[in-house]
Amino acid sequence: GEDVEQSLFLSVREGDSSVINCTYTDSSSTYLYWYKQEPGAGLQLLTYIFSNMDMKQDQRLTVLLNKKDKHLSLRIADTQTGDSAIYFCAEIPNSGNTPLVFGKGTRLSVIA
Amino acid sequence: GAVVSQHPSWVICKSGTSVKIECRSLDFQATTMFWYRQFPKQSLMLMATSNEGSKATYEQGVEKDKFLINHASLTLSTLTVTSAHPEDSSFYICSARDIDRLNTEAFFGQGTRLTVV
């Protein structure tokens, strides 16, 4: 079945860049997503990338997609303490109205 | 952007009572909504897929008589935790996608933290 893997923890210093990595197994995925979850809150969509793209940039966020290796990354430039949260990578395994498949989430800690 | 409203955001109930959680898509229609459960420091676990006008589809291991789902309209799905017990305490999150944009982003409610005492 579909599987999405992420490293569980990442710690960076304020002002540095953070890179959160994700691998997925389903090559038919059409969209891949990054969500942010702050403590006690729901999921906030940060960005998504269509599978025929290899990069997407949105302000401090850069998403890189290597479809051959099924590898997705999220880079946060100039990381701030407010970026501390859990970041989930997710994919839609196939077209249609199917649920997202999530990774276990990467807990980003930003040290001042 | 599209908004999914989930209510209540938190609830405390006594063991044995039932609790209803609502999930509404505010500015789009959703034939399908998804209900997730999240344990502390863990990822989201899909519980069931709620289909407008028909029965929900439950994931393996999720008791359909325990977690009743109703999706009576294109903008509202409800999850009722029946005869709640302390082990049902968790964070429940709903998700919906715009019926006209099925292959794009999914929107999530803010979640409901259920505590059963």
Side-chain angles (χ1 to χ4, degrees):
Chain A
E2 308 89 9
D3 196 18
V4 177
E5 298 285 339
Q6 297 178 242
S7 53
L8 296 181
F9 301 99
L10 177 65
S11 181
V12 299
R13 291 198 176 278
E14 191 175 19
D16 288 350
S17 292
S18 308
V19 179
I20 303 171
N21 294 300
C22 169
T23 57
Y24 59 98
T25 57
D26 195 318
S27 57
S28 65
S29 295
T30 52
Y31 282 88
L32 295 129
Y33 305 84
W34 285 103
Y35 286 87
K36 176 183 180 182
Q37 186 181 34
E38 297 183 2
L43 271 69
Q44 173 195 354
L45 176 67
L46 284 179
T47 187
Y48 63 94
I49 189 168
F50 188 48
S51 59
N52 69 353
M53 298 169 64
D54 51 22
M55 187 181 92
K56 181 178 180 181
Q57 186 152 5
D58 183 3
Q59 299 182 335
R60 292 192 297 125
L61 305 179
T62 303
V63 178
L64 295 178
L65 174 62
N66 182 329
K67 198 172 179 183
K68 174 175 168 289
D69 294 339
K70 301 191 188 70
H71 182 268
L72 183 73
S73 69
L74 173 69
R75 179 177 181 271
I76 306 173
D78 187 25
T79 311
Q80 303 298 307
T81 54
D83 295 323
S84 294
I86 301 175
Y87 291 80
F88 290 96
C89 169
E91 63 167 351
I92 295 181
N94 48 55
S95 61
N97 209 357
T98 52
L100 270 64
V101 177
F102 285 90
K104 289 189 175 4
T106 299
R107 184 178 295 274
L108 173 65
S109 297
V110 182
I111 304 164
Chain B
V3 176
V4 173
S5 173
Q6 192 172 337
H7 178 80
S9 54
W10 60 271
V11 58
I12 301 173
C13 71
K14 289 186 177 181
S15 191
T17 61
S18 295
V19 173
K20 180 186 283 189
I21 303 169
E22 292 187 349
C23 181
R24 292 180 187 273
S25 56
L26 294 187
D27 52 2
F28 65 96
Q29 294 184 323
T31 53
T32 304
M33 293 186 181
F34 306 99
W35 287 95
Y36 295 84
R37 181 174 181 177
Q38 186 180 33
F39 293 100
K41 298 185 179 181
Q42 292 192 29
S43 188
L44 285 77
M45 181 192 80
L46 179 66
M47 297 175 65
T49 301
S50 169
N51 302 299
E52 186 265 336
S54 64
K55 290 183 180 180
T57 305
Y58 290 82
E59 295 300 301
Q60 192 173 6
V62 178
E63 300 175 59
K64 59 180 68 176
D65 294 330
K66 174 78 171 171
F67 299 100
L68 299 179
I69 291 173
N70 183 276
H71 193 152
S73 78
L74 287 172
T75 59
L76 174 64
S77 174
T78 60
L79 168 68
T80 302
V81 183
T82 63
S83 187
H85 290 283
E87 58 265 30
D88 298 324
S89 298
S90 192
F91 193 58
Y92 294 87
I93 307 177
C94 71
S95 169
R97 299 224 291 272
D98 190 327
I99 190 176
D100 293 324
R101 303 174 65 200
L102 292 182
N103 288 330
T104 56
E105 64 268 39
F107 300 99
F108 286 79
Q110 283 303 299
T112 298
R113 182 162 301 283
L114 170 63
T115 303
V116 185
V117 297

